[in-house]
Amino acid sequence: IGKEVLMMLGWLILYRGRKVVVPANIFGKLATFFMFLYLVDSLWLGLLLQPVMWGAIVSTALAFIMYGINFVKIRFINEHTA
């Protein structure tokens, strides 16, 4: 939940100041996919809980890092070069 709240705050800051919308990245899509797999596996199968859980954790962390890098580039670096 923390990543999503920070993403919403970042969107609010970027959109209000510069009217910029950051596109989705592959790690965010992978995080959603792994979370879905983890939910389905934990409810019905229980076969792949550990590997799927780690896939979800790693892809969520990578998505958070990539969105943070994009935020800094748009908010601070592009601001000084424009």
Side-chain angles (χ1 to χ4, degrees):
I1 295 177
K3 177 184 73 98
E4 283 80 11
V5 170
L6 287 174
M7 286 174 56
M8 285 188 273
L9 288 174
W11 167 81
L12 183 64
I13 291 168
L14 291 177
Y15 192 73
R16 285 180 81 196
R18 302 180 138 240
K19 300 289 187 228
V20 173
V21 178
V22 178
N25 68 34
I26 188 68
F27 298 115
K29 301 287 185 188
L30 280 174
T32 302
F33 174 72
F34 279 120
M35 290 291 188
F36 174 76
L37 276 182
Y38 185 74
L39 177 67
V40 169
D41 190 49
S42 65
L43 289 176
W44 288 291
L45 304 172
L47 302 173
L48 302 170
L49 288 177
Q50 201 73 5
V52 173
M53 178 188 68
W54 280 108
I57 290 170
V58 169
S59 58
T60 299
L62 287 172
F64 181 74
I65 291 167
M66 294 305 294
Y67 284 123
I69 290 169
N70 284 337
F71 176 81
V72 169
K73 281 182 182 177
I74 293 169
R75 179 77 170 133
F76 299 109
I77 295 172
N78 289 346
E79 185 175 281
H80 296 297
T81 59

